[in-house]
Amino acid sequence: MEAEMTVAARTADLTGGRPVVPSRGVLRPLGLSEVRITGGFWAQRQATNGRATLDHGREWMDKLGWTGNFTAEVGHGSAERRGREFSDSEVYKLIEAMSWETGRQADPARDAEITELTAMIASAQADDGYLHTAFGRSGQRARYGDLAWGHELYCAGHLLQASVARARTSGDDALLNVARRVADHVCEEFGPTGRDAVCGHPEIEPGLVELFRATGEQRYLDQAALFVARRGRRTLPRHEFGWAYFSDDIPVREAKVLRGHAVRALYLAAGVVDLAVETGDDELLETVAAQFDRTLARRTYLTGGMGSRHLDEAFSDDFVLPADRAYSETCAGIAAIMVAWRLMLATGQERYADVIERILYNVVATAIGDDGRSFFYAHTLHQRSLTPVLPGDVEQLGFGGGPRAPWFEVSCCLANTARMLASLSTYVASADDDGLRVHQYADADIDTTLADGRRVGLRMRTGYPDEGTVGIEVTAAEPGPWTLALRLPSWAAGATVTVNGQPQPVSGDRALLRRDFAVGDRIVLALPMRPRFTRPDPRIDAVRGCVAVEQGPVVLCAESVGGALDLDSLRVDAGTDPAADGGVTVRGLTEELPERQWPYADAGPVGQRTTRDVPLVPYHRWARSGPSTMRVWLPTT
Amino acid sequence: MEAEMTVAARTADLTGGRPVVPSRGVLRPLGLSEVRITGGFWAQRQATNGRATLDHGREWMDKLGWTGNFTAEVGHGSAERRGREFSDSEVYKLIEAMSWETGRQADPARDAEITELTAMIASAQADDGYLHTAFGRSGQRARYGDLAWGHELYCAGHLLQASVARARTSGDDALLNVARRVADHVCEEFGPTGRDAVCGHPEIEPGLVELFRATGEQRYLDQAALFVARRGRRTLPRHEFGWAYFSDDIPVREAKVLRGHAVRALYLAAGVVDLAVETGDDELLETVAAQFDRTLARRTYLTGGMGSRHLDEAFSDDFVLPADRAYSETCAGIAAIMVAWRLMLATGQERYADVIERILYNVVATAIGDDGRSFFYAHTLHQRSLTPVLPGDVEQLGFGGGPRAPWFEVSCCLANTARMLASLSTYVASADDDGLRVHQYADADIDTTLADGRRVGLRMRTGYPDEGTVGIEVTAAEPGPWTLALRLPSWAAGATVTVNGQPQPVSGDRALLRRDFAVGDRIVLALPMRPRFTRPDPRIDAVRGCVAVEQGPVVLCAESVGGALDLDSLRVDAGTDPAADGGVTVRGLTEELPERQWPYADAGPVGQRTTRDVPLVPYHRWARSGPSTMRVWLPTT
């Protein structure tokens, strides 16, 4: 722990639009009402999200019957329930996204839509509080008969999160009341004397803790603790993917690293952090932090993406991180942000904000099409063949690294991305005992109070990540000193900071500017944005002998639209720094390799080499100009 | 085509115990009665196969109900059918293996067992010839309602192959009669005016052609031609794996490479070679040969293994051949041998025997446990963590590269390996217009007739593959010259041949010894067995900067039983030749790498290095001494 946790927020706080409100921690999160993104890279994406993505999600969920599943016709067996077992959760996540969006920017029509959806959901709730459209109703399977795959508690967890989002962004507690009844039912059914079981897909855990935080209802926290204690005892049935798939192989307190299905493992980890924070269990907090840290050190892609196996959407062994079969599911990226954010709030360690930034620019930003109506599910780091393009009205089967698709059979990524984008401003800054911390650089206005109640305002303006200069102006201040801390990304050696033109000392993971700030004070942070070569750990077999190029927080890639440039034979000269004249280029060559009958021999093939400067583009921009080949990791000459 | 095809065998030939009897081709295959393996590496495995594996297969198939599915209780709905849709095929493959085994070595008890199983199968056949235990009977799904996944024609194909094996190794045509009725039914149902459809899993194609060869019934060949013509028109339903999974994405004649599910693609390719040979369609033959050749050049592991994706058991893009997530299913290896053998018979190109040898020593030999009662399904080339050991009576779920398991939920590998081993001697040698060719080196006695009817006998003795000297003595000869051709493996530069002590010229892919051989003549082939470094094509990203070590046809690996030697940080000095003093060792080092929070940086980590000689073992021997880590591809210093 970097610093002692202090009580920085209260339970039962329904104001301010914060996704996570821990009752203790080094940092206090700020809400949508305290931080607004006003322009630049993320404002554009937030606008697209609010304008296109939410409607796109609603249209598809209506078309596929996922919303219709909540209606009486389905409930009474007179119409067929449609979609997979987890489709309810997509509706909940979409409501969560809509809620943050209305918190970000008032929208009466959207507000009415949430009210309409809430009523629809409430109508499907059983008298005893149970709520899932695929089980327990007329002609359906029995409740909790398939805990491994039924996703009943998983869906409930997302409902709980959505209800908290709604409550924290409006005066409407209708969904919260539905969620309380669901949670009460879960506590009844799975409580100390109830079913000794866990859900195949964690998610109820963070949902229950957040509902506890929103309502103060202790039994929700206790129930989360029970689920965490029960996990890892192999109560789920044996499966070809192994118990690790469900994080049910070994108890949470004994595990050393995240393993199995990446999203499952990460949602569980998020819930475990929440639980440890609320119960004061620092040993558990340290355990889950160590698991996540080891996962970062050994099981994470350069992009921040997690999960390298397609078969089971899972973490693989340490250092198994193939570029050309990267899985790196969008939802795992978002789940990793959830974990990193919770750990940062608890411990104050700024390096978790580095992780969040990396995932935001290289997974979340990559996932979304420019139109906000197409998505990546998985994120390959190396596309060898041209990706086929699907018609806009055809849903994608499977999860391949193909083009952004309008919809997937399993479309968890859309609403997950939407809720992250709509709530993104809450990840920009936080408060600690001594002042404010800025974690992410973007055009943003911050208006909040310090721990001692003094009001403070900041206006941040920047061309980041295209440019490295971040200007911050103090827009509100009250007398007396406090500390403004600016994150120094781990890649930003040589960063400088001035206050009103005066250079400030810079070292460590954040610049600490302590003074009696006055309105009009101007802080300028300059981050070095020269493109740089990055080398992988030698134990990552898949990218041995390769370099990547990063620029600021952005991972770059070589892309060949139409595939004309042979990326298979491309090699770059890692002894010559990347040039950044206009765009970024690296010195390289391609080689016309001879055809051989067998690709293994006592010596490699030699062909005609062509020296060339290879242009690189941000990875998040790839596959936007039509079918292309692409690679992040570039073999060296 | 290397040489004109000549009619080298007759259709409707039920003698001699040959798996494949083309009516034309450069080479004429020899049967179990003509070539016997008498000792050494493969004799030991054949003995284990006959003694243990066949019984092991029968015991599990009885226990799991796969044999019982053919009984009247299941047929009339009074007992539940058990197992997956393809379980019938395992019984058929087991009968095929038993048949070759009784052809190899008479065994009245086994013969009686085949008779018993035949009767059981015949009892389940419908009046109209249809035969599958999962469809069309009381309480079951309708016939051909699920062509993509039902495996009905796939099972039929294996039955046809088994029936031919039985007929060619015994006087019993009971199973052949069952198969004829099945084939007649298939021709009726799927004929020119029947269902315009294909099976999701090819296999009926080679089955029909072989049944045509065994019976002379033209409609079976015509039906195979129909199925091949229909493949690639996307008549199967859309699936997340894509139509390529079923080889149904593009017509056979238009495809450039094998793709999709590896076993499906290879079984189809085998049938296409058969079809092209029987119909005289040299264009089709060249097309499928080019597909296979490109697959060898770009989509095949060093071991000869094929298929690199776990998700869909499929070929990936060119050069995507990860070592640590190699799939390389046993059955794909066996299917590749089927294709290579058929292409060699048709074209006479000896390089296909190189492929067969590679797969035999590095996939087939690796698959089998020493006890003949445990198996690998998939063949990783890099095991990073210790493999758990399952109890002997527990079937393995999934296909992971773990330890050899007694049984898998999908256990196609067992019977496939068994039928290959039992018939292995038929791959040792063949006859051409001018004499004999020896393709594989093993202790073997050959007794056959040349194309002109002269009898010839050879006794081959060798310590191969542990030693490179192969001695061949002429044991029968009639006057007049003929050519004995000995394969020169592509790795065997510097091989020498003597006849009665006189050195012979050696060049190309086979040593051609043309003379008037006499009984007692002694030929000695000396193959260089010095261990050698092998380097991968630079486009195989997964093993860039690595070397492998091969010795003769055997791929070696570094193995650490118990995991004490850190193979993750191992690097070898590829400038110093492997030593072969007792065992093979390479000069190398391991490095104690420091813990880092993030595995990507401007420079790699540096740790304490320990120079060491690293012992290597044959890859086929790995994981026999308990849980271990292993790697075939060794990073270089």
Side-chain angles (χ1 to χ4, degrees):
Chain A
M1 301 299 108
E2 184 173 276
E4 285 302 300
M5 289 189 192
T6 55
V7 175
R10 296 260 57 88
T11 53
D13 178 350
L14 288 174
T15 65
R18 287 167 290 176
V20 190
V21 187
S23 65
R24 63 185 194 116
V26 174
L27 304 179
R28 179 180 69 85
L30 306 184
L32 296 170
S33 62
E34 294 162 290
V35 188
R36 301 183 51 78
I37 294 175
T38 59
F41 189 96
W42 291 113
Q44 189 187 337
R45 282 158 181 79
Q46 285 195 311
T48 304
N49 186 55
R51 193 185 62 243
T53 307
L54 297 178
D55 288 341
H56 182 73
R58 179 68 199 271
E59 289 158 17
W60 274 88
M61 291 185 203
D62 285 351
K63 173 169 131 179
L64 296 173
W66 298 359
T67 46
N69 287 337
F70 290 93
T71 60
E73 292 72 29
V74 177
H76 299 135
S78 58
E80 185 197 3
R81 186 199 179 270
R82 296 166 67 191
R84 303 277 292 269
E85 290 92 339
F86 37 78
S87 70
D88 291 2
S89 74
E90 304 310 336
V91 180
Y92 302 148
K93 273 191 293 185
L94 190 67
I95 293 176
E96 183 184 340
M98 290 173 170
S99 299
W100 300 128
E101 181 64 13
T102 58
R104 187 179 80 82
Q105 186 168 294
D107 182 341
R110 192 70 75 193
D111 190 80
E113 186 177 4
I114 298 173
T115 301
E116 167 225 328
L117 288 167
T118 299
M120 184 192 75
I121 290 165
S123 76
Q125 188 164 32
D127 290 342
D128 64 355
Y130 178 87
L131 177 50
H132 194 291
T133 67
F135 294 89
R137 303 191 294 176
S138 171
Q140 296 184 328
R141 285 181 285 169
R143 292 177 184 179
Y144 307 121
D146 182 12
L147 281 167
W149 300 102
H151 287 79
E152 290 164 272
L153 294 174
Y154 167 82
C155 289
H158 276 301
L159 174 63
L160 271 43
Q161 286 188 322
S163 76
V164 171
R166 176 61 171 163
R168 286 181 181 156
T169 53
S170 75
D172 177 13
D173 59 3
L175 195 60
L176 194 73
N177 289 334
V178 173
R180 291 187 74 131
R181 292 181 57 217
V182 166
D184 290 342
H185 161 80
V186 169
C187 291
E188 203 63 40
E189 195 77 21
F190 291 89
T193 59
R195 294 172 192 263
D196 182 16
V198 296
C199 180
H201 200 316
E203 163 61 21
I204 187 73
E205 297 83 356
L208 281 168
V209 179
E210 214 57 44
L211 190 65
F212 156 74
R213 287 166 172 166
T215 62
E217 180 61 54
Q218 178 70 28
R219 68 191 301 210
Y220 302 154
L221 182 65
D222 296 344
Q223 186 62 45
L226 257 182
F227 281 135
V228 169
R230 285 175 186 160
R231 179 80 50 181
R233 286 174 34 235
R234 307 191 176 198
T235 57
L236 291 166
R238 189 164 177 252
H239 186 268
E240 64 170 280
F241 294 161
W243 281 287
Y245 176 83
F246 306 106
S247 296
D248 197 31
D249 51 337
I250 40 176
V252 171
R253 290 174 193 272
E254 293 171 24
K256 304 290 181 211
V257 68
L258 301 186
R259 66 233 172 270
H261 187 270
V263 177
R264 283 172 166 78
L266 287 158
Y267 279 179
L268 177 63
V272 172
V273 178
D274 289 336
L275 177 70
V277 165
E278 296 307 325
T279 57
D281 190 338
D282 286 349
E283 191 181 310
L284 182 61
L285 181 63
E286 276 172 36
T287 297
V288 67
Q291 291 167 13
F292 189 66
D293 288 349
R294 188 179 168 104
T295 304
L296 290 171
R298 292 167 178 253
R299 299 186 173 192
T300 303
Y301 283 102
L302 180 65
T303 54
M306 294 187 183
S308 62
R309 303 208 308 216
H310 279 242
L311 176 66
D312 45 359
E313 309 188 298
F315 290 107
S316 197
D317 284 342
D318 287 352
F319 303 115
V320 179
L321 294 162
D324 49 18
R325 283 290 278 175
Y327 198 67
S328 180
E329 184 181 342
T330 301
C331 288
I334 287 162
I337 291 177
M338 288 168 56
V339 178
W341 179 244
R342 284 159 172 77
L343 286 174
M344 191 170 67
L345 293 178
T347 69
Q349 292 189 48
E350 202 67 48
R351 64 192 172 91
Y352 292 120
D354 278 17
V355 173
I356 291 171
E357 177 178 59
R358 184 173 289 277
I359 300 170
L360 284 174
Y361 282 104
N362 302 298
V363 177
V364 177
T366 311
I368 328 153
D370 287 332
D371 59 0
R373 292 175 174 270
S374 55
F375 291 82
F376 276 145
Y377 187 109
H379 293 266
T380 187
L381 271 69
H382 182 179
Q383 183 70 36
R384 287 178 180 263
S385 53
L386 298 181
T387 52
V389 177
L390 283 179
D393 59 348
V394 172
E395 84 183 310
Q396 176 96 26
L397 305 180
F399 325 113
R404 291 172 187 78
W407 202 256
F408 294 88
E409 191 196 2
V410 176
S411 255
C412 42
C413 43
L414 178 134
N416 230 343
T417 308
R419 65 178 182 150
M420 174 55 60
L421 284 174
S423 62
L424 190 63
S425 67
T426 69
Y427 297 86
V428 167
S430 67
D432 62 14
D433 270 0
D434 193 41
L436 281 189
R437 290 212 207 170
V438 177
H439 306 297
Q440 305 299 337
Y441 300 113
D443 286 1
D445 292 343
I446 301 172
D447 192 338
T448 185
T449 51
L450 301 178
D452 58 15
R454 283 179 291 164
R455 182 171 168 228
V456 59
L458 300 176
R459 182 188 298 129
M460 175 160 54
R461 294 295 181 268
T462 178
Y464 196 81
D466 292 336
E467 295 162 24
T469 303
V470 181
I472 299 174
E473 188 185 342
V474 178
T475 54
E478 294 183 34
W482 56 277
T483 301
L484 175 64
L486 306 179
R487 179 174 63 96
L488 299 171
S490 59
W491 47 264
T496 60
V497 181
T498 62
V499 177
N500 298 330
Q502 299 301 310
Q504 305 295 313
V506 170
S507 73
D509 61 8
R510 55 192 193 272
L512 298 172
L513 310 174
R514 181 168 178 78
R515 57 197 294 148
D516 194 343
F517 285 103
V519 170
D521 279 352
R522 293 190 60 86
I523 300 104
V524 177
L525 168 68
L527 298 168
M529 301 301 275
R530 202 177 45 251
R532 61 192 189 276
F533 283 124
T534 298
R535 288 167 178 80
D537 190 287
R539 291 167 289 189
I540 305 176
D541 284 85
V543 293
R544 177 173 291 108
C546 292
V547 293
V549 179
E550 298 180 275
Q551 186 171 30
V554 174
V555 173
L556 305 181
C557 67
E559 182 182 23
S560 177
V561 178
L565 178 65
D566 177 20
L567 298 185
D568 279 349
S569 78
L570 176 68
R571 271 168 287 166
V572 304
D573 172 9
T576 303
D577 280 340
D581 209 14
V584 176
T585 58
V586 288
R587 179 69 56 81
L589 63 83
T590 53
E591 186 170 7
E592 232 166 283
L593 292 167
E595 289 292 327
R596 299 190 301 174
Q597 288 181 343
W598 184 241
Y600 311 100
D602 56 355
V606 177
Q608 181 71 37
R609 295 178 180 183
T610 306
T611 305
R612 52 177 88 244
D613 287 332
V614 181
L616 303 181
V617 297
Y619 174 67
H620 63 72
R621 297 286 322 151
W622 94 273
R624 292 183 194 270
S625 314
S628 65
T629 56
M630 178 277 294
R631 60 187 308 157
V632 166
W633 289 103
L634 310 170
T636 58
T637 49
Chain B
M1 301 300 108
E2 183 173 276
E4 284 302 301
M5 289 189 194
T6 55
V7 175
R10 297 258 59 84
T11 53
D13 178 349
L14 287 175
T15 63
R18 287 166 291 176
V20 190
V21 187
S23 65
R24 63 185 195 116
V26 173
L27 304 179
R28 179 180 70 85
L30 306 184
L32 295 170
S33 63
E34 294 162 291
V35 187
R36 302 182 51 78
I37 294 175
T38 58
F41 189 96
W42 291 111
Q44 188 188 339
R45 283 157 180 80
Q46 287 196 308
T48 304
N49 187 54
R51 194 186 60 243
T53 308
L54 297 178
D55 288 341
H56 182 73
R58 179 68 198 272
E59 289 158 18
W60 274 87
M61 291 186 202
D62 285 352
K63 172 169 130 177
L64 295 172
W66 298 0
T67 46
N69 287 338
F70 290 93
T71 59
E73 292 71 30
V74 177
H76 298 135
S78 58
E80 187 198 2
R81 188 199 176 271
R82 296 167 66 191
R84 303 277 292 268
E85 290 93 338
F86 38 78
S87 69
D88 291 3
S89 74
E90 304 309 336
V91 179
Y92 302 148
K93 275 192 293 185
L94 190 66
I95 293 176
E96 183 184 340
M98 289 174 171
S99 298
W100 300 128
E101 181 64 13
T102 58
R104 187 179 79 83
Q105 186 168 296
D107 181 343
R110 191 71 75 194
D111 191 81
E113 185 177 5
I114 299 173
T115 301
E116 167 225 327
L117 288 167
T118 299
M120 185 192 74
I121 290 165
S123 76
Q125 188 164 32
D127 288 343
D128 64 355
Y130 178 86
L131 177 50
H132 194 290
T133 67
F135 294 89
R137 301 192 294 174
S138 172
Q140 296 184 327
R141 286 181 285 169
R143 292 177 184 179
Y144 307 121
D146 181 12
L147 281 166
W149 300 102
H151 287 80
E152 289 163 274
L153 294 174
Y154 167 82
C155 289
H158 275 301
L159 173 63
L160 271 44
Q161 286 188 322
S163 77
V164 171
R166 176 61 172 165
R168 287 181 180 154
T169 53
S170 74
D172 177 12
D173 61 1
L175 194 61
L176 194 72
N177 289 334
V178 173
R180 291 187 73 132
R181 292 181 57 216
V182 166
D184 290 341
H185 161 81
V186 168
C187 292
E188 204 63 39
E189 194 78 21
F190 292 89
T193 59
R195 295 171 192 262
D196 182 15
V198 296
C199 180
H201 199 318
E203 163 60 22
I204 187 73
E205 298 83 355
L208 280 168
V209 179
E210 213 57 45
L211 190 66
F212 155 73
R213 288 166 171 165
T215 62
E217 182 61 54
Q218 179 70 28
R219 67 192 302 208
Y220 303 153
L221 183 65
D222 296 344
Q223 186 61 46
L226 258 182
F227 281 134
V228 169
R230 286 174 184 160
R231 178 82 47 182
R233 287 173 35 236
R234 307 191 177 198
T235 58
L236 291 166
R238 188 165 177 252
H239 186 268
E240 63 170 280
F241 295 160
W243 281 287
Y245 177 83
F246 307 106
S247 295
D248 197 32
D249 51 338
I250 41 175
V252 171
R253 289 174 193 271
E254 294 171 24
K256 303 292 180 211
V257 70
L258 302 185
R259 65 232 172 271
H261 187 269
V263 177
R264 281 171 167 79
L266 288 157
Y267 279 179
L268 177 64
V272 172
V273 177
D274 289 337
L275 177 69
V277 164
E278 295 307 325
T279 58
D281 189 339
D282 286 349
E283 192 181 309
L284 183 60
L285 181 62
E286 276 171 35
T287 298
V288 66
Q291 291 167 11
F292 189 66
D293 288 350
R294 189 180 167 102
T295 303
L296 290 172
R298 292 166 178 252
R299 299 185 172 192
T300 302
Y301 283 102
L302 180 65
T303 53
M306 294 188 182
S308 63
R309 302 209 307 216
H310 279 243
L311 176 66
D312 45 359
E313 310 187 299
F315 290 107
S316 196
D317 284 341
D318 287 352
F319 302 116
V320 180
L321 294 162
D324 49 18
R325 283 290 279 174
Y327 198 68
S328 180
E329 184 180 341
T330 301
C331 288
I334 287 163
I337 291 177
M338 289 168 57
V339 178
W341 179 244
R342 282 159 173 78
L343 286 174
M344 191 170 67
L345 293 178
T347 69
Q349 292 189 47
E350 202 67 50
R351 64 190 172 92
Y352 293 120
D354 278 18
V355 173
I356 291 171
E357 177 178 58
R358 184 173 290 276
I359 300 171
L360 284 174
Y361 282 104
N362 301 297
V363 177
V364 177
T366 311
I368 328 154
D370 287 331
D371 59 0
R373 292 175 173 270
S374 55
F375 292 82
F376 275 145
Y377 187 109
H379 293 265
T380 187
L381 271 69
H382 183 180
Q383 182 70 37
R384 288 178 180 262
S385 52
L386 297 182
T387 52
V389 176
L390 284 179
D393 58 347
V394 173
E395 85 183 310
Q396 175 96 29
L397 305 181
F399 325 112
R404 290 171 188 82
W407 202 256
F408 294 87
E409 190 195 3
V410 176
S411 255
C412 42
C413 42
L414 179 135
N416 230 343
T417 308
R419 66 179 182 149
M420 175 55 60
L421 284 174
S423 62
L424 190 64
S425 68
T426 69
Y427 298 86
V428 167
S430 68
D432 63 14
D433 271 0
D434 194 39
L436 281 189
R437 289 211 205 169
V438 177
H439 306 297
Q440 305 300 336
Y441 300 113
D443 286 0
D445 292 344
I446 301 171
D447 192 338
T448 184
T449 52
L450 301 178
D452 58 13
R454 283 179 291 164
R455 183 173 167 225
V456 59
L458 299 176
R459 181 188 299 132
M460 174 160 53
R461 294 295 181 269
T462 178
Y464 196 80
D466 293 335
E467 293 163 24
T469 303
V470 181
I472 299 174
E473 187 185 343
V474 177
T475 54
E478 294 184 34
W482 57 276
T483 301
L484 175 63
L486 306 179
R487 178 174 63 96
L488 299 171
S490 60
W491 47 264
T496 62
V497 181
T498 62
V499 177
N500 298 329
Q502 298 302 309
Q504 305 294 313
V506 169
S507 73
D509 61 8
R510 54 192 193 273
L512 298 171
L513 310 174
R514 181 168 179 78
R515 58 197 294 147
D516 193 344
F517 285 103
V519 171
D521 279 351
R522 294 189 60 87
I523 300 104
V524 177
L525 168 68
L527 298 168
M529 301 301 274
R530 205 177 44 251
R532 60 192 190 277
F533 283 123
T534 298
R535 289 167 178 79
D537 190 288
R539 291 167 289 189
I540 305 175
D541 283 85
V543 294
R544 178 173 291 106
C546 292
V547 293
V549 179
E550 297 180 275
Q551 187 170 30
V554 174
V555 173
L556 305 183
C557 66
E559 182 182 24
S560 176
V561 178
L565 179 65
D566 177 19
L567 297 184
D568 279 349
S569 78
L570 177 68
R571 272 169 286 166
V572 304
D573 171 10
T576 303
D577 280 339
D581 208 15
V584 176
T585 57
V586 289
R587 180 68 57 82
L589 63 82
T590 53
E591 186 170 5
E592 232 166 284
L593 291 167
E595 288 293 325
R596 298 190 302 173
Q597 288 181 344
W598 184 241
Y600 311 100
D602 56 355
V606 177
Q608 181 70 37
R609 294 178 182 184
T610 306
T611 305
R612 52 176 89 243
D613 287 332
V614 181
L616 303 181
V617 297
Y619 174 66
H620 63 73
R621 296 286 323 151
W622 93 274
R624 292 183 194 268
S625 314
S628 65
T629 56
M630 179 277 296
R631 60 188 307 158
V632 166
W633 289 103
L634 309 170
T636 57
T637 49

